[in-house]
């Protein structure tokens, strides 16, 4: 009896659930640990490195393979495993898949047999993902990075790392925070709040939560949209849209692990057909589509006669079997592929062409170590790891400053945060090397922009008030803000006073933005930072001060 | 017809009641803080200057011994706040923050004197987490069993400054105001606006709000603040001093190894002495001069009992 129970508990679908949950937990822990100083035992961008689509897309669009291949070694492992096991990644590992499974439960309720959406079985749409994959690869081949639009791993990473995280931190902060003066309740709330504050939120903001821009909300709506697709049928995204699922599906055509039905036993009850979340099983157990199966093993659970087995077979036999089992196979249309390719090709100028290539946006300050703009855009997959790790919450997504192509890429917003002099974390977590990994000493000298004084605002310049808060905070060894002591006549008192009027030493200013961030004038600071003379674009230097180009 | 489970009137009534109950929670738990002036327990101990050792801890021990031991200031069961300068994400060698060994020794001495709890904090300029770590102070305090926490932005309250000439009130940190004993542990270093930053300026670390706004007429503002926050003891870290490009930057050449620790109860006297380490006098510093005029302490070192202790090794 116990053995049967034991077997019952450790059936494949339950093992899958346990692994899936643990992997998802690991994903969340890694996100929480994506803080400076980086101390987690796994690289913070581990899940992104598991993603073969991001690897292929980035290698194609940036036309560089060398270092990327070593970084994406885990993705190669996933590819090899897929050749053995099929699309297991989608239901065992993918955090978006797990989130969608949760959403399916919430939306559809726990009961499996009632409230089944009517559109459960939709063969025609499922080919869409292969065409999306086709368009994706064509665009990448023509050097447009589109992983950020459709690749599930960057989508789920940024959704959790910056949107869900900031929503959660805001909610926890505003709900728990005010309870600190409430007797009795604070005995419970304060330890929780303290833990969250010290270990989860505080690294990024003295607000206690992550500050955001409008684009965060847009990203959140997009994420919710993906989950809401489950209103139509379960795993809509994975079934019909996901290009990574398509890629793994194509690989699994020759995989070893196969779904086998004992036709002698089968009573053609159609339970497996109805249970299958990706609609891979044909009616009456007449066969299955290997490229659609995500190895969830739920079909075994519902089979009343134990007719379903998963067995290892050589690909040649299984291909033969498949012909016999699944007459439809993978029935893609050439015409649609050409359409998809055309779509991918048209997307390239749409994304890449900017109103003016000479209109350098002054406020587009990239994180230190970013590649020159063109290459940067080819590589950045908008996973938002850099935004999450930034200890001052200074990196935020662009909207259109960097063109349509640049939506969601990171920029430094000095009013919200500054580039910490002693930190080089963004380059360490970037999975595609769009931001280079820099040694700290190298980063300290790297110029990402230049400050200038807005003398119509600055206290000492405009109002004869002493201030020098910018100078105080300037981190470069010999200070890149210096000052003149000027004697002026104060109008009110008619007395001579000495005012210390600051100026920027352009040569040594690194553009970290702490001066603008700390300026006591908050609305429109008296000192601003622009991308002027950023080191990655030395060709733009005027040379007016005799700098060697 | 079944009975209605909810009716609108009850719902509104209950909601409003619950809302009022929630909103009034903060009123219930609030206890009036002690008036800060209650902390003043001034004994005229002059200044004790320990010098000459490579070990900052020995300097602290010698200087404190010279004024009668920590037991003079800390009683059994006291809640002690030690307020070092933990402003900048810099290493101890850069002399931007108080030396971690000095903080460590002070915390240890307080605990040995019977303190119930020794809290250490500062409202940092760079991010708290990296600053606490890089300064070495977090680890140092933990080593001896002190209590080091990040400043909690919720726990500031508006404090009146009755004697203030420019400032009438400012937001201050409740934990610093409520302590039985407040020990100010600044480091001596260069600062462009105030020329030097030492004891009086270090108290800006318990202020909330937009501190940058204090920089105009900083000297007067610092004196005003020092009329309200009166540490029981001031221990100036002059083991390494930063002579230029302060309060946070500087090249290795700007850091000078002076190997001194100064202990006193009079912040004006401590700062006036500190100025001499940079070749200045108290007269050169606005805040010292104004502090002296406002009778916060003695600027003229000829009127202060100076006790110099040579520490070997």
């Amino acid at each position: 009896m116990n053995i049967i129970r034991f077997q019952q508990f450790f059936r494949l679908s339950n093992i899958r659930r346990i692994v899936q949950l643990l992997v998802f937990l690991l994903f969340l822990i890694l996100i929480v640990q994506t803080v400076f100083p980086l101390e987690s035992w796994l690289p913070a961008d581990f899940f992104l490195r598991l993603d073969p689509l991001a690897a292929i897309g980035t290698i194609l669009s940036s036309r560089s393979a060398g270092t990327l291949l070593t970084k994406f070694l885990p993705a190669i492992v996933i590819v090899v495993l897929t050749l053995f096991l099929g699309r297991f990644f989608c239901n065992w590992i993918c955090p978006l898949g797990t989130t969608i499974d949760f959403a399916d439960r919430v939306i559809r309720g726990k009961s499996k047999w009632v409230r089944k959406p009517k559109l459960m079985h939709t063969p025609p749409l499922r080919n869409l993902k292969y065409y999306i994959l086709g368009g994706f690869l064509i665009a990448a081949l023509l050097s447009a990075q589109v992983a950020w639009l459709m690749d599930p791993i960057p989508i789920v990473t940024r959704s959790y790392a910056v949107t869900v995280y900031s929503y959660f931190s805001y909610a926890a902060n505003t709900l728990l925070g005010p309870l600190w003066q409430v007797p009795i309740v604070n005995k419970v709330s304060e330890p929780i709040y303290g833990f969250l504050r010290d270990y989860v939120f505080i690294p990024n903001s003295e607000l206690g939560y992550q500050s955001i821009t409008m684009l965060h909300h847009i990203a959140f709506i997009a994420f919710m949209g993906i989950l809401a697709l489950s209103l139509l049928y379960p795993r809509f995204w994975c079934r019909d849209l996901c290009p990574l699922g398509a890629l793994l599906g194509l690989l699994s055509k020759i995989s070893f692990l196969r779904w086998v039905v004992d036709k002698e036993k089968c009573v053609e009850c159609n339970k497996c057909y109805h249970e299958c979340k990706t609609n891979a099983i044909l009616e009456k157990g007449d066969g299955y589509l290997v490229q659609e199966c995500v190895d969830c093993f739920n079909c075994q659970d519902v089979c009343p006669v134990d007719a379903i087995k998963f067995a290892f077979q050589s690909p040649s036999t299984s291909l033969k079997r498949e012909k016999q089992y699944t007459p439809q196979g993978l029935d893609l249309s050439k015409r649609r592929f050409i359409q998809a390719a055309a779509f991918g090709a048209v997307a390239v100028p749409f994304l890449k062409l900017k109103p003016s290539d000479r209109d350098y946006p002054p406020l587009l300050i990239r994180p230190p170590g970013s590649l020159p703009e063109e290459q940067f855009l080819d590589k950045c997959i908008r996973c938002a790891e850099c935004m999450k790790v930034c200890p001052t919450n200074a990196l935020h997504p662009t909207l259109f400053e960097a063109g349509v192509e640049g939506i969601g890429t990171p920029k430094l917003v000095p009013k919200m945060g500054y580039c910490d002099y002693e930190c080089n974390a963004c380059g360490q977590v970037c999975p595609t090397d769009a931001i280079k990994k820099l040694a700290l000493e190298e980063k300290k000298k790297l110029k990402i922009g230049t400050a200038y004084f807005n003398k119509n605002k600055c206290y000492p310049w405009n109002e004869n008030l002493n201030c020098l808060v910018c100078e105080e905070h300037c981190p470069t060894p010999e200070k890149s803000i210096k000052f003149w002591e000027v004697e002026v006549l104060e109008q009110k008192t008619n007395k001579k006073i000495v005012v210390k009027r600051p100026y920027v030493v352009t040569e040594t200013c690194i553009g970290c933005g702490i001066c603008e961030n700390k300026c006591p004038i908050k609305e429109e600071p008296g000192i601003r930072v622009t991308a002027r003379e950023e080191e990655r674009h030395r060709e733009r230097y005027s040379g007016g001060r005799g700098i060697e180009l | 017809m079944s009975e209605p489970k909810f009716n609108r009137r009850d719902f509104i009534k209950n909601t409003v009641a619950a809302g009022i109950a929630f909103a009034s929670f903060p009123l219930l738990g609030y206890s009036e803080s002690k008036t800060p002036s209650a902390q003043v327990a001034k004994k005229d101990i002059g200044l004790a200057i320990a010098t000459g050792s490579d070990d900052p801890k020995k300097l602290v021990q010698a200087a404190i011994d010279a004024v009668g031991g920590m037991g003079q200031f800390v009683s059994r069961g006291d809640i002690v706040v030690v307020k070092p300068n933990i402003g900048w994400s810099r290493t101890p060698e850069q002399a931007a923050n108080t030396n971690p060994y000095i903080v460590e020794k002070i915390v240890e001495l307080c605990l040995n004197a019977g303190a119930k709890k020794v809290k250490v904090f500062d409202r940092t300029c760079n991010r708290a987490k990296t600053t606490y770590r890089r300064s070495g102070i977090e680890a140092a305090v933990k080593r001896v069993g002190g209590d080091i926490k990040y400043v909690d932005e919720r726990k500031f309250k508006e404090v009146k400054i009755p004697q203030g000439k420019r400032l009438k009130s400012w937001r201050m940190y409740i934990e610093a105001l409520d302590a039985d004993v407040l020990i100010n542990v600044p480091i001596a270093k260069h600062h462009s606006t105030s020329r030097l930053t030492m004891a009086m300026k270090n108290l800006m670390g318990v202020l909330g709000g937009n501190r940058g706004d204090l920089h105009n007429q900083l000297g007067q503002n610092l004196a005003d603040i020092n009329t309200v926050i009166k540490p029981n003891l001031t221990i100036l870290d002059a083991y390494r001093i930063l002579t230029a490009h302060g309060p946070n930057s500087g090249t290795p050449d700007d850091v000078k190894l002076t190997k001194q620790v100064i202990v006193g109860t009079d912040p004006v006297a401590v700062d006036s002495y500190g100025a001499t380490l940079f070749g200045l006098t108290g007269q050169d510093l606005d805040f010292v001069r104004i502090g002296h005029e406002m009778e916060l302490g003695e600027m003229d070192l000829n009127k202060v009992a100076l006790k110099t202790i040579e520490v070997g090794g």
Side-chain angles (χ1 to χ4, degrees):
Chain A
M1 190 62 200
N2 273 338
I3 292 170
I4 292 171
R5 261 214 206 139
F6 182 82
Q7 285 178 337
Q8 185 62 24
F9 183 77
F10 283 101
R11 62 188 194 271
L12 283 168
S13 67
N14 262 357
I15 294 174
R16 187 262 305 160
R17 282 188 191 100
I18 293 164
V19 171
Q20 196 182 1
L21 212 63
L22 290 177
V23 170
F24 187 68
L25 221 60
L26 177 70
F27 172 74
L28 292 183
I29 289 171
L30 272 182
I31 280 180
V32 169
Q33 290 197 341
T34 307
V35 290
F36 177 74
L38 286 159
E39 281 161 352
S40 70
W41 49 278
L42 263 181
D45 56 349
F46 178 70
F47 277 83
L48 291 146
R49 294 195 199 182
L50 286 175
D51 176 357
L53 187 64
I56 295 172
T58 311
I59 288 170
L60 286 179
S61 66
S62 68
R63 288 147 172 71
S64 62
T67 52
L68 280 177
L69 277 177
T70 52
K71 266 209 152 173
F72 279 97
L73 224 53
I76 296 171
V77 174
I78 292 292
V79 167
V80 172
L81 283 175
T82 303
L83 291 176
F84 283 91
L85 303 170
R87 264 175 83 180
F88 79 104
F89 180 85
C90 304
N91 212 153
W92 289 63
I93 294 176
C94 178
L96 186 60
T98 307
T99 311
I100 290 173
D101 272 353
F102 284 137
D104 287 348
R105 282 232 154 178
V106 172
I107 289 171
R108 296 164 61 227
K110 256 196 160 179
S111 165
K112 285 172 184 164
W113 303 111
V114 291
R115 285 196 277 159
K116 187 123 296 200
K118 281 185 190 138
L119 294 165
M120 185 70 185
H121 306 290
T122 55
L125 258 182
R126 69 168 152 237
N127 284 347
L128 188 55
K129 61 178 175 293
Y130 299 102
Y131 306 130
I132 289 174
L133 176 66
F136 181 106
L137 293 176
I138 292 292
L141 211 59
L142 297 172
S143 98
Q145 173 66 272
V146 282
W148 57 281
L149 262 178
M150 294 297 286
D151 189 335
I153 307 300
I155 286 175
V156 73
T157 307
R158 69 166 172 261
S159 297
Y160 279 102
V162 296
T163 50
V164 173
Y165 175 80
S166 45
Y167 284 25
F168 178 61
S169 66
Y170 180 78
N173 201 61
T174 46
L175 293 176
L176 290 175
L179 296 177
W180 71 282
Q181 286 176 324
V182 183
I184 304 162
V185 180
N186 61 13
K187 295 273 183 297
V188 184
S189 71
E190 275 305 282
I192 302 172
Y193 179 83
F195 172 78
L196 291 175
R197 203 180 79 105
D198 293 351
Y199 296 100
V200 187
F201 307 139
I202 201 72
N204 280 48
S205 169
E206 60 196 17
L207 294 171
Y209 57 87
Q210 187 119 346
S211 56
I212 61 156
T213 61
M214 271 328 269
L215 203 64
H216 287 85
H217 289 317
I218 296 170
F220 185 72
I221 291 167
F223 184 48
M224 288 297 120
I226 289 173
L227 302 186
L229 290 173
S230 294
L231 288 168
L232 297 173
Y233 43 82
R235 289 245 176 186
F236 186 115
W237 166 269
C238 319
R239 210 194 272 197
D240 297 343
L241 299 176
C242 181
L244 176 58
L247 178 69
L248 297 173
L250 292 177
L251 290 172
S252 66
K253 287 291 280 183
I254 52 165
S255 65
F256 288 83
L257 189 68
R258 296 283 154 162
W259 180 88
V260 188
V261 155
D262 187 343
K263 270 307 205 182
E264 305 276 291
K265 282 191 191 170
C266 176
V267 291
E268 303 193 341
C269 65
N270 263 346
K271 281 186 174 168
C272 55
Y273 168 71
H274 287 296
E275 174 63 24
C276 182
K277 59 175 99 176
T278 54
N279 198 20
I281 299 174
L282 304 182
E283 266 190 286
K284 296 179 188 168
D286 272 347
Y288 92 126
L289 306 167
V290 62
Q291 72 275 11
E292 304 299 328
C293 174
V294 292
D295 291 351
C296 75
F297 301 114
N298 286 0
C299 47
Q300 285 188 325
D301 292 357
V302 296
C303 182
V305 290
D306 265 348
I308 299 171
K309 294 271 173 303
F310 281 81
F312 284 101
Q313 296 174 343
S314 82
S316 58
T317 33
S318 48
L319 276 177
K320 246 182 258 161
R321 280 182 79 100
E322 193 177 303
K323 279 221 177 89
Q324 162 199 346
Y325 255 140
T326 56
Q328 304 117 300
L330 181 56
D331 182 24
L332 297 175
S333 113
K334 235 176 265 162
R335 171 189 296 233
R336 291 249 181 263
F337 254 118
I338 293 167
Q339 284 171 351
F343 193 79
V346 169
V348 173
F350 174 74
L351 289 169
K352 292 192 96 84
L353 197 59
K354 287 165 202 143
S356 165
D357 272 350
R358 288 289 170 270
D359 184 10
Y360 306 125
L363 297 181
L364 189 65
I365 305 166
R366 293 295 191 190
S370 295
L371 297 174
E373 189 63 14
E374 288 288 301
Q375 299 166 34
F376 178 79
L377 291 174
D378 289 343
K379 277 197 167 174
C380 175
I381 55 172
R382 279 72 145 173
C383 60
E385 290 274 284
C386 53
M387 302 175 200
K388 172 67 183 68
V389 82
C390 179
T392 69
N393 201 192
L395 296 178
H396 289 277
T398 53
L399 199 52
F400 290 116
E401 298 95 312
V404 181
E405 186 189 17
I407 293 175
T409 51
K411 66 167 178 181
L412 184 93
V413 186
K415 272 176 84 171
M416 297 169 95
Y418 56 90
C419 182
D420 191 305
Y421 192 61
E422 305 277 351
C423 167
N424 56 354
C426 49
Q428 292 181 44
V429 299
C430 182
T432 58
D433 289 336
I435 308 171
K436 277 181 292 184
K437 201 172 184 169
L438 296 177
L440 192 56
E441 287 312 309
E442 210 181 335
K443 183 251 144 184
K444 283 179 178 177
K445 291 185 188 116
L446 189 90
K447 194 172 173 66
I448 58 173
T450 310
Y452 72 95
F453 276 99
N454 182 354
K455 294 180 182 174
N456 293 330
K457 290 279 172 192
C458 173
Y459 280 150
W461 284 101
N462 187 44
E463 297 175 48
N464 287 333
L465 300 172
N466 275 308
C467 179
L468 289 190
V469 174
C470 50
E471 188 267 359
E472 177 182 23
H473 284 82
C474 179
T476 57
E478 297 189 31
K479 297 280 181 195
S480 299
I481 296 171
K482 295 184 185 288
F483 55 90
W484 292 295
E485 292 194 44
V486 183
E487 208 176 55
V488 295
L489 197 67
E490 203 185 34
Q491 293 293 331
K492 266 190 230 160
T493 54
N494 212 22
K495 266 198 290 191
K496 277 188 178 169
I497 54 166
V498 174
V499 179
K500 292 172 179 170
R501 288 191 170 153
Y503 63 91
V504 175
V505 184
T506 308
E507 287 85 346
T508 58
C509 173
I510 52 173
C512 72
I514 194 170
C515 47
E516 179 175 338
N517 186 265
K518 301 287 181 179
C519 178
I521 306 172
K522 295 296 176 199
E523 296 75 19
E524 199 188 334
I527 185 165
R528 307 302 298 263
V529 179
T530 65
R532 178 189 167 198
E533 295 194 0
E534 53 173 337
E535 210 140 303
R536 61 187 190 130
H537 284 298
R538 289 188 78 91
E539 77 277 4
R540 288 184 201 162
Y541 281 24
S542 63
R545 289 191 323 279
I547 300 168
E548 260 178 63
L549 291 181
Chain B
M1 285 254 300
S2 61
E3 285 291 310
K5 281 176 189 159
F6 274 118
N7 71 48
R8 196 182 296 144
R9 175 179 306 188
D10 280 354
F11 177 73
I12 291 171
K13 219 162 69 185
N14 292 338
T15 309
V16 170
I20 290 171
F22 261 107
S24 55
F25 269 159
L27 301 174
L28 297 174
Y30 193 76
S31 65
E32 191 54 45
S33 318
K34 281 178 232 170
T35 48
S37 54
Q39 289 169 356
V40 188
K42 270 248 172 83
K43 283 169 244 168
D44 188 20
I45 56 166
L47 295 184
I49 302 144
T51 175
S53 173
D54 288 331
D55 182 356
K57 289 185 182 176
K58 279 189 185 169
L59 293 172
V60 173
Q61 181 76 60
I64 292 289
D65 285 347
V67 296
M70 195 58 95
Q72 296 288 316
F73 308 95
V74 175
S75 314
R76 192 153 293 279
D78 275 354
I79 304 275
V80 179
V81 164
V82 172
K83 194 327 207 157
N85 186 327
I86 327 176
W88 309 96
S89 175
R90 298 285 182 272
T91 56
E93 295 72 34
Q94 292 173 288
N97 303 304
T98 307
N99 189 303
Y101 294 113
I102 289 181
V103 179
E104 180 180 350
K105 189 68 193 176
I106 294 167
V107 172
E108 193 186 349
L109 289 174
C110 292
L111 287 169
N112 290 346
K116 189 170 146 202
K117 202 173 199 182
V118 182
K119 297 181 186 176
V120 182
F121 52 76
D122 192 9
R123 185 161 176 238
T124 56
C125 294
N126 295 133
R127 279 289 179 268
K129 183 175 179 176
T130 44
T131 302
Y132 273 37
R133 291 228 185 153
R134 194 173 287 269
S135 67
I137 293 177
E138 186 177 61
V141 173
K142 282 183 179 164
R143 275 200 296 273
V144 285
D147 188 46
I148 182 151
K149 285 227 175 76
Y150 305 126
V151 160
D152 186 336
E153 288 292 328
R154 300 169 301 172
K155 299 184 181 172
F156 287 91
K157 69 163 192 171
E158 198 76 22
V159 175
K160 289 224 158 39
I161 307 176
Q163 290 162 265
K165 295 216 169 122
R166 270 197 98 230
L167 301 180
K168 293 299 162 207
S169 72
W170 200 269
R171 290 176 71 73
M172 298 183 190
Y173 200 49
I174 292 175
E175 290 199 10
L177 300 172
D178 283 355
D180 296 313
V181 179
L182 176 63
I183 303 178
N184 189 16
V185 192
I187 177 172
K189 54 182 176 164
H190 168 261
H191 187 277
S192 288
T193 307
S194 58
R195 298 192 73 169
L196 296 176
T197 160
M198 291 171 294
M200 290 173 73
K201 177 143 190 330
N202 193 42
L203 293 178
M204 277 181 79
V206 303
L207 302 186
N210 186 351
R211 294 181 294 187
D213 271 352
L214 296 171
H215 274 213
N216 188 43
Q217 296 193 32
L218 183 59
Q220 182 64 57
N221 292 336
L222 289 180
D224 286 356
I225 285 155
N226 275 267
T227 63
V228 182
I229 310 170
K230 294 190 172 269
N232 305 62
L233 189 62
T234 300
I235 303 173
L236 179 65
D237 164 19
Y239 184 76
R240 290 190 192 90
I241 61 173
L242 182 60
T243 58
H245 304 119
N248 59 342
S249 308
T251 61
D253 291 342
D254 297 331
V255 178
K256 203 170 126 195
L257 197 62
T258 40
K259 297 189 195 170
Q260 291 196 14
V261 167
I262 299 100
V263 169
T265 49
D266 175 350
V268 179
V270 170
D271 281 359
S272 188
Y273 176 83
T276 63
L277 299 171
F278 297 83
L280 301 172
T281 65
Q283 191 69 39
D284 297 325
L285 304 173
D286 285 350
F287 56 94
V288 173
R289 209 177 52 245
I290 298 171
H292 178 81
E293 284 161 13
M294 291 175 75
E295 295 176 351
L296 294 170
E298 183 54 58
M299 169 174 77
D300 185 354
L301 291 178
N302 293 323
K303 295 181 185 163
V304 178
L306 302 180
K307 206 185 303 172
T308 305
I309 308 104
E310 276 291 338
V311 185

